[in-house]
Amino acid sequence: MANERYWTFCKIAVGILIILTFTPLVMPVGVHKPSFAGMPYSFWVGILDALLLVGLTWIGTKVHPGRKE
Amino acid sequence: MLQTLAIIGLLYVGILVFLAYSARTDTKNSTQYLMAGSNLGAVLGFFTFAATLFSTFTLLGMPDFFRVHGIGAWIFLMFSDAIMVFGLIYVGYNLRKKARKSTYYGMAGFLESNYKSRFAGIVAFIGVSIFLIPYIAIQIRGVAIFLHATFPESLPMWAWATIMVFVMLVYSEVGGLKAIMYSDVLQGILLLIAIWIVGYNCLHHFGGVKAMFAEVEKVNEALLSVPGPKGLFDFQFLFGSMIAIMLLPYTQPQISTRLVILKNVKALHRMAVGIGFFAILVILPTAFMGMYGAVVYPDATTAEFLNLTFVTDQTNFVGAVVMIGLIAAAISTSDSQMFALGGELRSILKGEDKKMVFYARISIFFFAVFALIFALMSSDDLVLLARTSFAGTSLLAPMIFAGIFYDKSDELKFIPLTTLITILVFIASLFGWIPDKIFMIRMDILLLAFLSVFTLVQILLKRK
Protein backbone atom coordinates (compact mmCIF):
# COMPACT_ATOMS: atom_id res chain seq x y z
CA MET A 1 0.00 0.00 0.00
CA ALA A 2 2.86 2.37 0.93
CA ASN A 3 4.53 1.54 -2.37
CA GLU A 4 1.37 2.44 -4.27
CA ARG A 5 1.47 5.83 -2.55
CA TYR A 6 5.14 6.34 -3.46
CA TRP A 7 4.40 5.34 -7.04
CA THR A 8 1.61 7.93 -7.19
CA PHE A 9 4.04 10.47 -5.72
CA CYS A 10 6.53 9.67 -8.53
CA LYS A 11 3.86 10.20 -11.21
CA ILE A 12 2.74 13.50 -9.67
CA ALA A 13 6.34 14.68 -9.26
CA VAL A 14 7.08 13.94 -12.93
CA GLY A 15 3.91 15.81 -13.92
CA ILE A 16 4.97 18.83 -11.85
CA LEU A 17 8.47 18.77 -13.37
CA ILE A 18 6.98 18.72 -16.88
CA ILE A 19 4.82 21.75 -16.11
CA LEU A 20 7.69 23.64 -14.43
CA THR A 21 10.00 22.96 -17.38
CA PHE A 22 7.73 24.91 -19.69
CA THR A 23 7.52 27.90 -17.36
CA PRO A 24 10.04 30.77 -17.06
CA LEU A 25 11.37 29.00 -13.96
CA VAL A 26 13.32 26.67 -16.25
CA MET A 27 13.15 28.46 -19.59
CA PRO A 28 13.06 32.24 -19.14
CA VAL A 29 13.02 33.81 -22.62
CA GLY A 30 16.30 35.52 -23.52
CA VAL A 31 17.76 35.15 -20.02
CA HIS A 32 20.93 33.20 -19.25
CA LYS A 33 21.69 34.32 -15.71
CA PRO A 34 22.18 33.30 -12.91
CA SER A 35 24.82 30.93 -14.17
CA PHE A 36 26.22 27.98 -12.25
CA ALA A 37 29.81 26.81 -12.70
CA GLY A 38 29.87 28.97 -15.81
CA MET A 39 26.84 27.24 -17.34
CA PRO A 40 23.95 29.40 -18.59
CA TYR A 41 20.76 29.24 -16.53
CA SER A 42 18.46 27.07 -18.66
CA PHE A 43 21.32 24.66 -19.34
CA TRP A 44 22.25 23.89 -15.74
CA VAL A 45 18.63 23.88 -14.62
CA GLY A 46 17.93 21.57 -17.59
CA ILE A 47 20.67 19.20 -16.40
CA LEU A 48 19.22 19.26 -12.89
CA ASP A 49 15.78 18.65 -14.37
CA ALA A 50 17.04 15.61 -16.30
CA LEU A 51 18.85 14.21 -13.26
CA LEU A 52 15.71 14.61 -11.14
CA LEU A 53 13.64 12.82 -13.77
CA VAL A 54 16.10 9.93 -14.01
CA GLY A 55 16.20 9.84 -10.18
CA LEU A 56 12.41 9.65 -10.08
CA THR A 57 12.56 6.85 -12.65
CA TRP A 58 14.96 4.98 -10.37
CA ILE A 59 12.65 5.48 -7.37
CA GLY A 60 9.75 4.47 -9.60
CA THR A 61 11.41 1.13 -10.36
CA LYS A 62 11.67 0.46 -6.62
CA VAL A 63 8.02 1.19 -5.85
CA HIS A 64 6.22 0.29 -9.08
CA PRO A 65 3.29 -2.03 -8.23
CA GLY A 66 4.24 -4.55 -10.92
CA ARG A 67 7.98 -4.71 -10.19
CA LYS A 68 7.90 -8.29 -8.88
CA GLU A 69 6.02 -9.77 -11.83
CA MET B 1 43.97 8.83 -42.71
CA LEU B 2 42.18 6.66 -45.27
CA GLN B 3 44.57 3.84 -44.42
CA THR B 4 43.87 4.11 -40.67
CA LEU B 5 40.16 4.19 -41.39
CA ALA B 6 40.45 1.12 -43.64
CA ILE B 7 42.24 -0.87 -40.90
CA ILE B 8 39.80 0.09 -38.12
CA GLY B 9 36.89 -0.31 -40.56
CA LEU B 10 37.95 -3.83 -41.53
CA LEU B 11 38.31 -4.74 -37.86
CA TYR B 12 34.82 -3.38 -37.20
CA VAL B 13 33.26 -5.23 -40.15
CA GLY B 14 35.13 -8.39 -39.07
CA ILE B 15 33.59 -8.20 -35.60
CA LEU B 16 30.15 -7.63 -37.16
CA VAL B 17 30.57 -10.71 -39.37
CA PHE B 18 31.71 -12.74 -36.35
CA LEU B 19 28.68 -11.59 -34.33
CA ALA B 20 26.30 -12.35 -37.18
CA TYR B 21 27.83 -15.82 -37.55
CA SER B 22 27.64 -16.46 -33.78
CA ALA B 23 23.99 -15.43 -33.72
CA ARG B 24 23.16 -17.50 -36.79
CA THR B 25 20.56 -20.16 -36.21
CA ASP B 26 19.19 -22.78 -38.55
CA THR B 27 15.77 -22.36 -36.93
CA LYS B 28 14.42 -19.41 -38.87
CA ASN B 29 11.02 -19.15 -37.22
CA SER B 30 9.44 -15.87 -36.17
CA THR B 31 10.21 -16.26 -32.47
CA GLN B 32 13.91 -16.97 -32.98
CA TYR B 33 14.65 -14.90 -36.07
CA LEU B 34 12.43 -11.82 -35.57
CA MET B 35 12.11 -11.78 -31.77
CA ALA B 36 15.52 -13.21 -30.75
CA GLY B 37 13.83 -15.85 -28.59
CA SER B 38 11.88 -13.21 -26.58
CA ASN B 39 14.14 -13.64 -23.55
CA LEU B 40 16.30 -10.54 -23.39
CA GLY B 41 18.27 -9.67 -20.23
CA ALA B 42 18.77 -6.17 -18.80
CA VAL B 43 22.35 -5.65 -20.02
CA LEU B 44 21.79 -6.71 -23.62
CA GLY B 45 18.43 -4.91 -23.49
CA PHE B 46 20.13 -1.73 -22.36
CA PHE B 47 22.76 -1.77 -25.10
CA THR B 48 20.37 -2.65 -27.90
CA PHE B 49 17.82 -0.05 -26.77
CA ALA B 50 20.51 2.63 -26.42
CA ALA B 51 22.17 1.88 -29.76
CA THR B 52 18.80 1.85 -31.50
CA LEU B 53 17.64 5.08 -29.87
CA PHE B 54 20.81 7.14 -30.31
CA SER B 55 21.63 7.45 -33.95
CA THR B 56 23.29 9.76 -36.45
CA PHE B 57 20.57 12.18 -35.44
CA THR B 58 22.25 12.44 -32.02
CA LEU B 59 25.87 12.19 -33.05
CA LEU B 60 25.83 14.47 -36.10
CA GLY B 61 22.57 16.35 -35.80
CA MET B 62 22.72 17.45 -32.17
CA PRO B 63 26.14 19.18 -32.25
CA ASP B 64 24.94 21.24 -35.19
CA PHE B 65 21.63 21.89 -33.46
CA PHE B 66 23.50 23.23 -30.39
CA ARG B 67 25.78 25.31 -32.66
CA VAL B 68 22.93 26.93 -34.59
CA HIS B 69 20.10 27.09 -32.05
CA GLY B 70 21.90 27.08 -28.69
CA ILE B 71 21.44 25.42 -25.33
CA GLY B 72 17.67 24.95 -25.76
CA ALA B 73 18.70 21.81 -27.66
CA TRP B 74 19.30 20.22 -24.25
CA ILE B 75 15.64 20.67 -23.30
CA PHE B 76 14.62 19.53 -26.78
CA LEU B 77 16.29 16.13 -26.49
CA MET B 78 17.52 15.36 -22.97
CA PHE B 79 14.42 16.53 -21.13
CA SER B 80 12.23 14.67 -23.65
CA ASP B 81 14.35 11.52 -23.30
CA ALA B 82 14.11 11.69 -19.50
CA ILE B 83 10.31 11.84 -19.72
CA MET B 84 10.41 8.94 -22.17
CA VAL B 85 12.50 6.90 -19.72
CA PHE B 86 9.96 7.39 -16.92
CA GLY B 87 7.22 6.39 -19.35
CA LEU B 88 9.01 3.08 -19.93
CA ILE B 89 8.27 1.86 -16.42
CA TYR B 90 4.67 3.01 -16.66
CA VAL B 91 3.39 2.51 -20.22
CA GLY B 92 6.13 0.03 -21.13
CA TYR B 93 5.04 -2.22 -18.30
CA ASN B 94 1.44 -2.23 -19.53
CA LEU B 95 2.48 -2.79 -23.15
CA ARG B 96 4.52 -5.83 -22.13
CA LYS B 97 1.74 -7.17 -19.95
CA LYS B 98 -0.78 -7.08 -22.76
CA ALA B 99 1.54 -7.99 -25.64
CA ARG B 100 2.94 -11.07 -23.91
CA LYS B 101 -0.53 -12.50 -23.35
CA SER B 102 -0.44 -13.66 -26.96
CA THR B 103 2.15 -13.97 -29.70
CA TYR B 104 3.79 -10.63 -30.47
CA TYR B 105 5.63 -10.13 -33.75
CA GLY B 106 5.02 -6.41 -34.21
CA MET B 107 2.83 -3.45 -33.25
CA ALA B 108 0.68 -3.80 -36.40
CA GLY B 109 -0.22 -7.39 -35.51
CA PHE B 110 -0.76 -6.40 -31.87
CA LEU B 111 -3.29 -3.74 -32.94
CA GLU B 112 -4.94 -6.05 -35.45
CA SER B 113 -5.46 -8.57 -32.70
CA ASN B 114 -6.70 -6.05 -30.10
CA TYR B 115 -8.99 -4.13 -32.43
CA LYS B 116 -10.01 -7.40 -34.10
CA SER B 117 -9.61 -5.48 -37.33
CA ARG B 118 -7.21 -6.19 -40.17
CA PHE B 119 -7.58 -2.54 -41.19
CA ALA B 120 -6.12 -1.39 -37.84
CA GLY B 121 -3.01 -3.50 -38.48
CA ILE B 122 -2.69 -2.16 -42.02
CA VAL B 123 -3.00 1.48 -40.83
CA ALA B 124 -0.24 0.88 -38.26
CA PHE B 125 1.94 -0.76 -40.88
CA ILE B 126 1.39 2.09 -43.37
CA GLY B 127 2.05 4.71 -40.66
CA VAL B 128 5.36 3.26 -39.51
CA SER B 129 6.54 2.54 -43.06
CA ILE B 130 5.83 6.06 -44.30
CA PHE B 131 7.65 7.75 -41.44
CA LEU B 132 10.41 5.25 -40.71
CA ILE B 133 11.83 4.91 -44.22
CA PRO B 134 12.76 8.64 -44.37
CA TYR B 135 14.26 8.35 -40.88
CA ILE B 136 16.41 5.40 -41.95
CA ALA B 137 17.35 7.33 -45.07
CA ILE B 138 18.53 10.49 -43.33
CA GLN B 139 20.85 8.49 -41.11
CA ILE B 140 22.44 6.76 -44.04
CA ARG B 141 22.65 10.08 -45.87
CA GLY B 142 24.08 11.88 -42.83
CA VAL B 143 27.05 9.56 -42.61
CA ALA B 144 27.46 9.19 -46.38
CA ILE B 145 27.74 12.97 -46.96
CA PHE B 146 30.11 13.19 -44.03
CA LEU B 147 32.37 10.45 -45.43
CA HIS B 148 32.22 11.97 -48.89
CA ALA B 149 33.13 15.42 -47.53
CA THR B 150 36.07 13.87 -45.64
CA PHE B 151 37.34 11.81 -48.58
CA PRO B 152 36.09 13.67 -51.67
CA GLU B 153 38.58 11.87 -53.93
CA SER B 154 37.75 8.32 -52.86
CA LEU B 155 34.07 7.41 -53.34
CA PRO B 156 30.91 9.29 -54.33
CA MET B 157 28.20 9.80 -51.71
CA TRP B 158 25.92 7.12 -53.24
CA ALA B 159 28.69 4.53 -53.00
CA TRP B 160 29.22 5.16 -49.25
CA ALA B 161 25.45 4.90 -48.72
CA THR B 162 25.26 1.66 -50.72
CA ILE B 163 28.16 0.07 -48.81
CA MET B 164 26.47 0.85 -45.48
CA VAL B 165 23.13 -0.58 -46.59
CA PHE B 166 24.89 -3.69 -47.94
CA VAL B 167 26.73 -4.31 -44.63
CA MET B 168 23.48 -3.87 -42.69
CA LEU B 169 21.56 -6.23 -44.95
CA VAL B 170 24.19 -8.96 -44.82
CA TYR B 171 24.47 -9.30 -41.08
CA SER B 172 20.81 -8.72 -40.26
CA GLU B 173 19.65 -11.20 -42.93
CA VAL B 174 22.18 -13.79 -41.75
CA GLY B 175 21.81 -13.51 -37.99
CA GLY B 176 18.36 -11.98 -37.48
CA LEU B 177 17.46 -9.79 -34.52
CA LYS B 178 20.00 -11.54 -32.29
CA ALA B 179 22.86 -10.50 -34.59
CA ILE B 180 21.55 -6.93 -34.61
CA MET B 181 21.40 -6.88 -30.82
CA TYR B 182 24.89 -8.35 -30.38
CA SER B 183 26.25 -5.77 -32.80
CA ASP B 184 24.37 -3.06 -30.86
CA VAL B 185 26.60 -3.75 -27.84
CA LEU B 186 29.66 -3.02 -29.95
CA GLN B 187 28.03 -0.02 -31.63
CA GLY B 188 26.75 1.47 -28.35
CA ILE B 189 30.26 1.34 -26.83
CA LEU B 190 31.81 2.77 -30.00
CA LEU B 191 29.28 5.59 -30.08
CA LEU B 192 30.00 6.55 -26.48
CA ILE B 193 33.79 6.45 -26.96
CA ALA B 194 33.65 8.49 -30.18
CA ILE B 195 31.30 11.12 -28.80
CA TRP B 196 33.34 11.62 -25.61
CA ILE B 197 36.73 11.84 -27.32
CA VAL B 198 35.51 14.65 -29.56
CA GLY B 199 33.44 16.27 -26.79
CA TYR B 200 36.40 16.28 -24.44
CA ASN B 201 38.71 17.74 -27.10
CA CYS B 202 36.19 20.51 -27.80
CA LEU B 203 35.95 21.36 -24.12
CA HIS B 204 39.73 21.14 -23.74
CA HIS B 205 40.10 23.73 -26.51
CA PHE B 206 38.60 26.35 -24.17
CA GLY B 207 40.14 25.02 -20.97
CA GLY B 208 36.84 24.28 -19.24
CA VAL B 209 33.08 24.76 -19.17
CA LYS B 210 33.20 28.30 -17.76
CA ALA B 211 35.66 29.56 -20.39
CA MET B 212 33.66 27.82 -23.13
CA PHE B 213 30.38 29.56 -22.30
CA ALA B 214 32.20 32.89 -21.78
CA GLU B 215 33.49 32.63 -25.35
CA VAL B 216 30.05 31.69 -26.66
CA GLU B 217 28.61 34.76 -24.92
CA LYS B 218 31.07 36.99 -26.79
CA VAL B 219 30.21 35.43 -30.15
CA ASN B 220 26.44 35.06 -29.88
CA GLU B 221 24.71 35.63 -26.54
CA ALA B 222 21.37 34.39 -27.87
CA LEU B 223 22.77 30.84 -27.98
CA LEU B 224 22.79 30.77 -24.18
CA SER B 225 19.04 31.00 -23.71
CA VAL B 226 15.77 29.96 -25.31
CA PRO B 227 14.33 30.38 -27.92
CA GLY B 228 17.83 30.68 -29.42
CA PRO B 229 19.10 33.03 -32.16
CA LYS B 230 16.59 31.82 -34.75
CA GLY B 231 13.68 31.55 -32.32
CA LEU B 232 13.23 27.80 -32.93
CA PHE B 233 12.88 26.68 -29.32
CA ASP B 234 9.50 28.16 -28.55
CA PHE B 235 6.91 26.43 -26.36
CA GLN B 236 5.17 24.68 -29.24
CA PHE B 237 8.33 23.24 -30.75
CA LEU B 238 9.64 21.95 -27.43
CA PHE B 239 6.30 20.66 -26.20
CA GLY B 240 5.52 18.95 -29.52
CA SER B 241 9.01 17.41 -29.52
CA MET B 242 8.60 16.14 -25.97
CA ILE B 243 5.32 14.44 -26.85
CA ALA B 244 6.73 12.89 -30.04
CA ILE B 245 9.93 11.67 -28.34
CA MET B 246 8.27 10.30 -25.19
CA LEU B 247 5.98 8.24 -27.43
CA LEU B 248 8.84 6.69 -29.45
CA PRO B 249 9.00 3.41 -27.48
CA TYR B 250 5.42 2.65 -28.49
CA THR B 251 5.16 4.29 -31.91
CA GLN B 252 8.46 3.16 -33.42
CA PRO B 253 8.41 -0.65 -33.75
CA GLN B 254 12.16 -1.21 -33.45
CA ILE B 255 11.89 0.12 -29.87
CA SER B 256 8.56 -1.49 -28.89
CA THR B 257 9.89 -4.89 -29.93
CA ARG B 258 12.82 -4.49 -27.54
CA LEU B 259 10.45 -3.70 -24.68
CA VAL B 260 8.26 -6.71 -25.34
CA ILE B 261 11.09 -9.24 -25.67
CA LEU B 262 12.74 -8.31 -22.36
CA LYS B 263 12.54 -11.38 -20.15
CA ASN B 264 10.88 -9.74 -17.13
CA VAL B 265 9.81 -6.45 -15.50
CA LYS B 266 13.05 -6.25 -13.51
CA ALA B 267 15.03 -6.21 -16.76
CA LEU B 268 12.74 -3.47 -18.07
CA HIS B 269 13.29 -1.36 -14.95
CA ARG B 270 17.07 -1.76 -14.94
CA MET B 271 17.20 -0.96 -18.62
CA ALA B 272 15.07 2.19 -18.18
CA VAL B 273 17.31 3.69 -15.50
CA GLY B 274 20.41 2.76 -17.50
CA ILE B 275 19.03 4.49 -20.59
CA GLY B 276 18.36 7.64 -18.56
CA PHE B 277 22.00 7.91 -17.49
CA PHE B 278 23.26 6.86 -20.91
CA ALA B 279 21.20 9.64 -22.52
CA ILE B 280 22.87 12.25 -20.29
CA LEU B 281 26.29 10.80 -21.11
CA VAL B 282 25.60 10.85 -24.85
CA ILE B 283 23.90 14.24 -25.18
CA LEU B 284 26.21 16.26 -22.89
CA PRO B 285 29.31 16.05 -25.13
CA THR B 286 27.23 17.05 -28.16
CA ALA B 287 26.62 20.37 -26.33
CA PHE B 288 30.40 20.85 -25.99
CA MET B 289 30.83 20.16 -29.71
CA GLY B 290 28.05 22.58 -30.59
CA MET B 291 29.48 25.38 -28.43
CA TYR B 292 32.91 24.73 -29.94
CA GLY B 293 31.40 25.06 -33.40
CA ALA B 294 29.55 28.25 -32.41
CA VAL B 295 32.85 29.90 -31.46
CA VAL B 296 35.32 28.38 -33.91
CA TYR B 297 33.13 27.72 -36.97
CA PRO B 298 30.09 30.00 -36.62
CA ASP B 299 29.64 30.56 -40.35
CA ALA B 300 30.51 27.09 -41.64
CA THR B 301 27.90 24.92 -43.35
CA THR B 302 26.71 21.82 -41.49
CA ALA B 303 28.96 19.50 -43.51
CA GLU B 304 31.98 21.80 -43.08
CA PHE B 305 31.45 22.13 -39.34
CA LEU B 306 31.09 18.38 -38.82
CA ASN B 307 34.04 17.57 -41.01
CA LEU B 308 36.29 20.14 -39.33
CA THR B 309 35.25 19.26 -35.79
CA PHE B 310 35.12 15.47 -36.09
CA VAL B 311 38.07 14.88 -38.41
CA THR B 312 40.36 17.81 -39.24
CA ASP B 313 40.73 18.96 -35.64
CA GLN B 314 41.41 15.42 -34.38
CA THR B 315 44.43 13.16 -34.80
CA ASN B 316 44.30 10.58 -37.61
CA PHE B 317 43.55 7.74 -35.23
CA VAL B 318 40.83 9.63 -33.34
CA GLY B 319 39.32 10.81 -36.64
CA ALA B 320 39.16 7.21 -37.87
CA VAL B 321 37.62 5.95 -34.59
CA VAL B 322 35.07 8.78 -34.74
CA MET B 323 34.13 7.86 -38.29
CA ILE B 324 33.63 4.23 -37.37
CA GLY B 325 31.60 5.45 -34.38
CA LEU B 326 29.44 7.49 -36.75
CA ILE B 327 28.94 4.58 -39.11
CA ALA B 328 28.11 2.39 -36.11
CA ALA B 329 25.55 4.93 -34.86
CA ALA B 330 23.85 5.08 -38.26
CA ILE B 331 23.94 1.33 -38.84
CA SER B 332 22.76 0.34 -35.36
CA THR B 333 19.57 2.36 -35.67
CA SER B 334 18.89 1.81 -39.37
CA ASP B 335 19.30 -1.97 -39.29
CA SER B 336 16.90 -2.22 -36.35
CA GLN B 337 14.36 -0.06 -38.15
CA MET B 338 14.54 -2.00 -41.41
CA PHE B 339 14.31 -5.24 -39.50
CA ALA B 340 11.37 -3.91 -37.46
CA LEU B 341 9.53 -3.03 -40.67
CA GLY B 342 10.00 -6.65 -41.76
CA GLY B 343 8.64 -7.71 -38.37
CA GLU B 344 5.65 -5.40 -38.75
CA LEU B 345 4.83 -6.97 -42.10
CA ARG B 346 5.24 -10.46 -40.64
CA SER B 347 2.87 -9.56 -37.79
CA ILE B 348 -0.03 -8.92 -40.16
CA LEU B 349 0.65 -11.84 -42.49
CA LYS B 350 -1.24 -15.08 -42.05
CA GLY B 351 0.09 -18.46 -43.09
CA GLU B 352 2.82 -21.02 -42.48
CA ASP B 353 5.43 -19.40 -40.22
CA LYS B 354 8.51 -20.40 -42.23
CA LYS B 355 7.00 -18.93 -45.38
CA MET B 356 5.97 -15.71 -43.60
CA VAL B 357 9.49 -15.25 -42.20
CA PHE B 358 10.81 -15.68 -45.72
CA TYR B 359 8.45 -12.92 -46.95
CA ALA B 360 9.56 -10.69 -44.07
CA ARG B 361 13.20 -11.21 -45.03
CA ILE B 362 12.47 -10.34 -48.65
CA SER B 363 10.59 -7.24 -47.52
CA ILE B 364 13.60 -6.10 -45.43
CA PHE B 365 15.63 -6.07 -48.64
CA PHE B 366 13.02 -3.86 -50.36
CA PHE B 367 12.74 -1.52 -47.36
CA ALA B 368 16.53 -1.14 -47.54
CA VAL B 369 16.36 -0.28 -51.24
CA PHE B 370 13.59 2.30 -50.64
CA ALA B 371 15.62 3.84 -47.80
CA LEU B 372 18.71 3.98 -50.01
CA ILE B 373 16.81 5.75 -52.79
CA PHE B 374 15.32 8.21 -50.30
CA ALA B 375 18.78 8.77 -48.77
CA LEU B 376 20.12 9.87 -52.13
CA MET B 377 17.26 12.34 -52.59
CA SER B 378 16.54 13.82 -49.13
CA SER B 379 17.78 17.08 -47.60
CA ASP B 380 20.62 17.44 -45.09
CA ASP B 381 18.58 18.79 -42.19
CA LEU B 382 18.97 15.70 -40.00
CA VAL B 383 17.38 16.81 -36.76
CA LEU B 384 14.31 18.45 -38.26
CA LEU B 385 13.69 15.49 -40.60
CA ALA B 386 14.06 13.11 -37.66
CA ARG B 387 11.63 15.19 -35.66
CA THR B 388 9.14 15.00 -38.53
CA SER B 389 9.48 11.22 -38.43
CA PHE B 390 8.87 11.22 -34.67
CA ALA B 391 5.84 13.51 -35.08
CA GLY B 392 4.46 11.31 -37.88
CA THR B 393 4.68 8.04 -35.97
CA SER B 394 3.32 9.75 -32.83
CA LEU B 395 -0.03 10.02 -34.64
CA LEU B 396 -0.36 6.28 -34.11
CA ALA B 397 -0.09 6.75 -30.34
CA PRO B 398 -3.79 7.23 -29.44
CA MET B 399 -4.68 4.05 -31.37
CA ILE B 400 -1.79 2.17 -29.71
CA PHE B 401 -2.58 3.46 -26.22
CA ALA B 402 -6.23 2.54 -26.57
CA GLY B 403 -5.05 -0.92 -27.66
CA ILE B 404 -2.83 -1.20 -24.58
CA PHE B 405 -5.05 0.29 -21.88
CA TYR B 406 -8.63 -0.33 -23.05
CA ASP B 407 -9.70 -3.95 -22.96
CA LYS B 408 -12.55 -3.49 -25.41
CA SER B 409 -10.62 -1.69 -28.13
CA ASP B 410 -12.39 -3.87 -30.71
CA GLU B 411 -15.44 -1.66 -30.07
CA LEU B 412 -13.55 1.46 -31.22
CA LYS B 413 -14.39 1.03 -34.89
CA PHE B 414 -13.60 4.58 -36.01
CA ILE B 415 -10.13 4.93 -34.49
CA PRO B 416 -8.09 3.21 -37.25
CA LEU B 417 -9.81 5.16 -40.05
CA THR B 418 -9.48 8.47 -38.19
CA THR B 419 -5.79 7.72 -37.56
CA LEU B 420 -5.23 7.08 -41.25
CA ILE B 421 -6.97 10.34 -42.18
CA THR B 422 -4.85 12.37 -39.74
CA ILE B 423 -1.68 10.77 -41.13
CA LEU B 424 -2.75 11.83 -44.63
CA VAL B 425 -3.55 15.36 -43.40
CA PHE B 426 -0.12 15.58 -41.75
CA ILE B 427 1.59 14.45 -44.96
CA ALA B 428 -0.41 17.05 -46.91
CA SER B 429 0.83 19.74 -44.51
CA LEU B 430 4.43 18.55 -44.92
CA PHE B 431 4.15 18.91 -48.69
CA GLY B 432 2.63 22.35 -48.29
CA TRP B 433 -0.71 21.34 -49.85
CA ILE B 434 -2.48 22.62 -46.74
CA PRO B 435 -1.22 25.03 -44.03
CA ASP B 436 1.22 23.62 -41.46
CA LYS B 437 -0.35 25.75 -38.74
CA ILE B 438 -3.94 26.46 -37.86
CA PHE B 439 -4.67 29.38 -35.51
CA MET B 440 -0.90 29.57 -34.90
CA ILE B 441 -0.85 25.97 -33.63
CA ARG B 442 1.49 23.47 -35.31
CA MET B 443 -0.31 20.83 -37.34
CA ASP B 444 1.41 17.87 -35.61
CA ILE B 445 0.28 19.05 -32.15
CA LEU B 446 -3.20 19.84 -33.41
CA LEU B 447 -3.68 16.46 -35.07
CA LEU B 448 -2.35 14.52 -32.10
CA ALA B 449 -4.57 16.52 -29.73
CA PHE B 450 -7.58 15.90 -31.96
CA LEU B 451 -6.87 12.15 -32.18
CA SER B 452 -6.34 11.89 -28.42
CA VAL B 453 -9.60 13.67 -27.60
CA PHE B 454 -11.46 11.69 -30.28
CA THR B 455 -10.16 8.40 -28.87
CA LEU B 456 -11.05 9.37 -25.30
CA VAL B 457 -14.55 10.41 -26.33
CA GLN B 458 -15.02 7.11 -28.17
CA ILE B 459 -13.96 5.18 -25.06
CA LEU B 460 -16.22 7.23 -22.78
CA LEU B 461 -19.20 6.74 -25.12
CA LYS B 462 -18.61 2.98 -25.22
CA ARG B 463 -18.34 2.82 -21.44
CA LYS B 464 -21.72 4.52 -21.08
Side-chain angles (χ1 to χ4, degrees), chain B residues 432-443:
Chain B
W433 298 333
I434 58 169
D436 60 354
K437 281 184 181 173
I438 294 178
F439 300 119
M440 309 282 281
I441 302 174
R442 293 174 67 102
M443 188 59 91

Side-chain angles (χ1 to χ4, degrees), chain A residues 7 18 21-22 27 29-32 38-40 42 46-47 49 51 53-54 57-58 60-61 64 66-67 69, chain B residues 71 74 79 82-83 85-86 89-90 93 209-210 213 217 221 224-226 235 238-239 242 265 269 273 277 280:
Chain A
W7 173 237
I18 292 175
T21 302
F22 291 102
M27 291 194 286
V29 175
V31 177
H32 64 87
M39 292 182 280
S42 293
I47 291 175
D49 203 359
L51 285 170
L53 284 165
V54 176
T57 304
W58 180 74
T61 63
H64 186 266
R67 72 192 181 285
E69 282 174 27
Chain B
I71 52 94
W74 177 267
F79 169 71
I83 300 289
V85 160
F86 184 80
I89 58 170
Y90 183 43
Y93 165 77
V209 174
K210 202 169 184 175
F213 284 114
E217 189 174 356
E221 200 180 341
L224 301 180
S225 60
V226 289
F235 169 76
L238 292 172
F239 185 75
M242 180 195 77
V265 177
H269 285 175
V273 177
F277 284 112
I280 295 174

Side-chain angles (χ1 to χ4, degrees), chain B residues 72-89:
Chain B
W74 177 267
I75 305 285
F76 159 72
L77 192 61
M78 187 55 234
F79 169 71
S80 306
D81 277 347
I83 300 289
M84 178 204 76
V85 160
F86 184 80
L88 287 178
I89 58 170

Side-chain angles (χ1 to χ4, degrees), chain B residues 135-149:
Chain B
Y135 187 26
I136 301 168
I138 55 171
Q139 291 173 81
I140 296 166
R141 182 181 177 86
V143 176
I145 53 169
F146 179 77
L147 288 168
H148 177 59

Side-chain angles (χ1 to χ4, degrees), chain B residues 21 59 168 172 206 213 249 321 325 344-345 366 371 401 428 433 453:
Chain B
Y21 186 77
L59 203 53
M168 270 188 264
S172 50
F206 298 101
F213 284 114
V321 170
E344 289 301 307
L345 182 68
F366 283 104
F401 276 43
W433 298 333
V453 172

Side-chain angles (χ1 to χ4, degrees), chain B residues 1-2 4-5 8 146 150-151 194 197-198 200-202 204 292 307-324:
Chain B
M1 173 68 165
L2 196 57
T4 318
L5 180 69
I8 299 178
F146 179 77
T150 311
F151 306 110
I197 292 175
V198 182
Y200 173 79
N201 286 345
C202 290
H204 187 67
Y292 173 82
N307 183 254
L308 290 164
T309 307
F310 281 87
V311 182
T312 312
D313 296 350
Q314 311 297 328
T315 63
N316 269 359
F317 180 74
V318 169
V321 170
V322 167
M323 266 187 269
I324 296 300

